[in-house]
Amino acid sequence: ITTFTIDPIDAKDFDDAISIKELPNGNVQIGIHIADVSHYVRPGTALDKEAVKRSTSLYLVDRTIPMLPEILSNDLCSLNPNEDKFTMSAVFEMTHEGTTVNEWFGKTIIHSDKRFTYEEAQEILDKKGGVFYTELNTLNLIAKKLTQARFLAGAISMEQEEVKFILDDKGVPLSVYKKIRGDTNELVEEFMLLANKKVAEFVDKMEDENVFVYRIHDNPDRDRITNLALFLKSLGYNLKTKDGIVDPKDINKLLQSLDGKPGKETIQTAVVRSMAKAIYSTNNIGHYGLAFQFYTHFTSPIRRYPDVMVHRLLQKYIHGEKVDKKEWAHYETLCGYASQREKEASDAERASIKYKQVEYMSSRIGQVFEGAISSVTEWGVYVEEKETKCEGMIKLRDLGDDYYTFDEKNYRIVGERTKQMFTLGDKVKIKVTATDMVRKTIDYVFI
């Protein structure tokens, strides 16, 4: 069956592939095939203990610290093209409207026909022709239906701009640019979401009560939502809330209304920060952000240990095996640890990006850039450079033409004599004056 992977251009491991076949009844059979890491990483082995300890791969700007040895992650488990590979699969019969008619889960062997980069697959879609165009186009159209259904159900669009670096052979950044998300990124994401959701639903529907690893996302804290609504009101936006409760559809309406407006990124960040953090747990409470009642992580076992646990448990339940109730607490402990490790990895990745941004700007002292005000505080104004998203600060004491005071209520600073104002989202010209690699800070001045 036609099968391919679609990944970033610099990907070293390929842990998911998609297959597609037109059926005689007019429906489509779509397979989401995931590297069968659990075939190689057996419980209780040294390999498994180390994978538990690491719990996640770490993707820093200039290096990857993998969860598994590279011979597994980049070779044996990786779904490289033109090779037979062991996989765990979720196979769906779907209508062209995105409705699932039949489903099947189990172990498979796949043979990927092609390794696409996101850009290559996007170019084929854009040109409406090329290798596997018909298959890519069918998948893309169904993915759009799935996205539409998610947002109708109340899923929140929490996409934020990300940056990529081009480094020289010493790891020094030569350029920084914003990642462009195309239809192919969303296509892959949508089918991974589908597989994750359907696996969780499948286990829940079983007659017996079984322990399982869920990816859960709690409702936002009421105080945080109240504070978010006040913050938005000061910027002229109205978010409907009732006793600290907000309808996800109202959040989406707000986010959609920001397109092309100043301060969009800052407001999106504020919305994301007002949300609870998604974690792993054996106690399912649903996923608020995705508007799914059941959700798990099944699709990335090369880089996430919870996915390995999900594969093992799913395999047991397919074969009618049980997990002793005495072991349930052990799975919850592993979930808690994996959630903690995920946060640590995320913090390290953010720090790595910030460090490389500061390193990039440290060789550009005196240069002028365009940016937008991303935050206002009593000690200064933060500005994010337009292309590289390098955020730096302009200290109030460096605004020598006037004495500026901080208007906390309206997130702006106001000059006492000139009445000049700088507020959130304002487009400004800035010059780099200093950087500090240890503190990971950039100093700008207004031009």
Side-chain angles (χ1 to χ4, degrees):
I1 297 171
T2 301
T3 306
F4 40 73
T5 57
I6 311 176
D7 288 281
I9 199 161
D10 54 357
K12 302 283 192 296
D13 57 70
F14 315 118
D15 51 12
D16 55 81
I18 299 175
S19 68
I20 176 165
K21 180 170 86 170
E22 289 284 346
L23 298 173
N25 64 2
N27 289 340
V28 191
Q29 186 200 78
I30 295 172
I32 292 101
H33 310 284
I34 311 301
D36 188 5
V37 170
S38 62
H39 176 80
Y40 299 96
V41 181
R42 303 292 171 95
T45 58
L47 196 56
D48 187 54
K49 285 172 186 164
E50 184 64 25
V52 168
K53 191 171 138 194
R54 294 182 180 218
S55 201
T56 180
S57 292
L58 197 56
Y59 296 96
L60 306 180
V61 171
D62 59 352
R63 74 200 72 184
T64 297
I65 302 162
M67 179 178 83
L68 302 171
E70 283 187 20
I71 195 164
L72 282 180
S73 55
N74 295 6
D75 185 11
L76 270 176
C77 294
S78 187
L79 308 182
N80 304 323
N82 309 312
E83 295 176 15
D84 285 354
K85 291 289 179 179
F86 291 134
T87 42
M88 279 287 280
S89 299
V91 182
F92 306 110
E93 180 185 341
M94 301 183 79
T95 68
H96 284 267
E97 291 300 305
T99 305
T100 303
V101 179
N102 281 311
E103 58 186 32
W104 179 91
F105 304 95
K107 291 205 171 208
T108 50
I109 295 174
I110 66 155
H111 190 95
S112 173
D113 299 296
K114 173 92 178 128
R115 186 246 151 151
F116 281 113
T117 65
Y118 284 122
E119 293 80 5
E120 283 169 350
Q122 189 63 50
E123 195 180 335
I124 287 165
L125 284 177
D126 292 344
K127 288 192 337 201
K128 297 187 175 5
V131 62
F132 298 133
Y133 167 70
T134 307
E135 291 85 350
L136 284 168
N137 188 49
T138 301
L139 287 168
N140 190 38
L141 293 172
I142 294 173
K144 286 187 182 301
K145 300 281 185 189
L146 293 171
T147 306
Q148 200 178 3
R150 261 194 319 115
F151 287 128
L152 277 172
I156 299 170
S157 172
M158 290 202 276
E159 275 171 28
Q160 288 184 287
E161 286 185 325
E162 293 178 53
V163 292
K164 294 277 281 179
F165 295 79
I166 294 172
L167 308 175
D168 68 12
D169 53 5
K170 292 185 175 69
V172 176
L174 299 172
S175 68
V176 193
Y177 60 95
K178 283 188 275 202
K179 263 200 225 178
I180 296 166
R181 276 179 66 84
D183 281 353
T184 51
N185 298 75
E186 282 162 25
L187 178 163
V188 172
E189 195 170 285
E190 212 51 69
F191 284 109
M192 297 309 125
L193 289 174
L194 177 72
N196 288 333
K197 179 178 89 159
K198 291 291 185 184
V199 165
E201 285 177 352
F202 174 72
V203 172
D204 181 75
K205 277 188 283 197
M206 290 180 162
E207 286 175 23
D208 298 317
E209 193 190 356
N210 291 312
V211 67
F212 199 56
V213 174
Y214 294 97
R215 178 71 168 173
I216 62 169
H217 187 222
D218 205 350
N219 291 355
D221 177 78
R222 293 182 182 209
D223 289 345
R224 283 187 172 192
I225 289 296
T226 303
N227 290 338
L228 175 68
L230 288 170
F231 167 66
L232 291 168
K233 197 166 191 178
S234 72
L235 300 176
Y237 296 100
N238 188 31
L239 180 65
K240 279 196 289 183
T241 63
K242 192 178 177 187
D243 301 327
I245 296 171
V246 62
D247 186 327
K249 289 174 186 172
D250 288 328
I251 294 178
N252 274 341
K253 268 186 215 158
L254 168 82
L255 293 172
Q256 281 159 9
S257 73
L258 295 173
D259 282 344
K261 291 188 180 167
K264 179 189 172 184
E265 274 288 299
T266 307
I267 294 168
Q268 273 190 314
T269 303
V271 170
V272 170
R273 284 180 183 160
S274 71
M275 298 287 139
K277 292 273 179 284
I279 58 167
Y280 299 104
S281 178
T282 57
N283 175 32
N284 181 47
I285 58 165
H287 197 294
Y288 175 81
L290 292 170
F292 289 159
Q293 194 182 348
F294 299 97
Y295 190 64
T296 188
H297 270 174
F298 165 79
T299 52
S300 291
I302 287 177
R303 63 184 179 89
R304 295 188 302 223
Y305 193 76
D307 302 52
V308 180
M309 291 197 282
V310 164
H311 281 212
R312 286 177 187 155
L313 291 169
L314 179 63
Q315 187 63 16
K316 273 183 187 291
Y317 301 149
I318 287 169
H319 288 287
E321 295 172 35
K322 296 278 161 248
V323 175
D324 193 309
K325 281 211 169 184
K326 289 176 194 162
E327 286 184 53
W328 287 25
H330 172 63
Y331 280 97
E332 183 56 35
T333 303
L334 286 175
C335 283
Y337 178 70
S339 301
Q340 177 202 328
R341 291 289 294 146
E342 179 188 42
K343 187 189 178 303
E344 288 164 1
S346 173
D347 290 347
E349 286 161 15
R350 268 200 301 274
S352 163
I353 290 166
K354 183 69 184 171
Y355 183 85
K356 286 296 178 189
Q357 285 173 321
V358 175
E359 188 177 12
Y360 175 78
M361 281 302 187
S362 65
S363 62
R364 286 157 180 81
I365 306 281
Q367 290 187 23
V368 174
F369 296 92
E370 288 182 6
I373 294 176
S374 54
S375 183
V376 183
T377 68
E378 59 194 297
W379 55 85
V381 174
Y382 287 90
V383 176
E384 192 177 82
E385 199 276 325
K386 187 177 156 191
E387 298 303 325
T388 63
K389 291 177 68 66
C390 294
E391 190 179 59
M393 190 174 78
I394 297 160
K395 299 182 182 80
L396 287 196
R397 65 170 183 263
D398 290 340
L399 295 171
D401 61 337
D402 201 347
Y403 179 76
Y404 287 86
T405 53
F406 175 46
D407 175 359
E408 190 176 359
K409 217 173 188 180
N410 297 300
Y411 294 91
R412 65 189 181 192
I413 55 167
V414 184
E416 282 198 355
R417 183 173 49 80
T418 60
K419 301 299 177 203
Q420 186 174 12
M421 289 186 297
F422 294 102
T423 188
L424 214 56
D426 281 357
K427 288 186 165 57
V428 290
K429 268 197 170 173
I430 47 171
K431 184 164 78 174
V432 187
T433 57
T435 58
D436 186 325
M437 298 287 285
V438 177
R439 286 166 52 225
K440 296 194 284 291
T441 57
I442 304 167
D443 289 346
Y444 294 139
V445 290
F446 284 131
I447 292 295

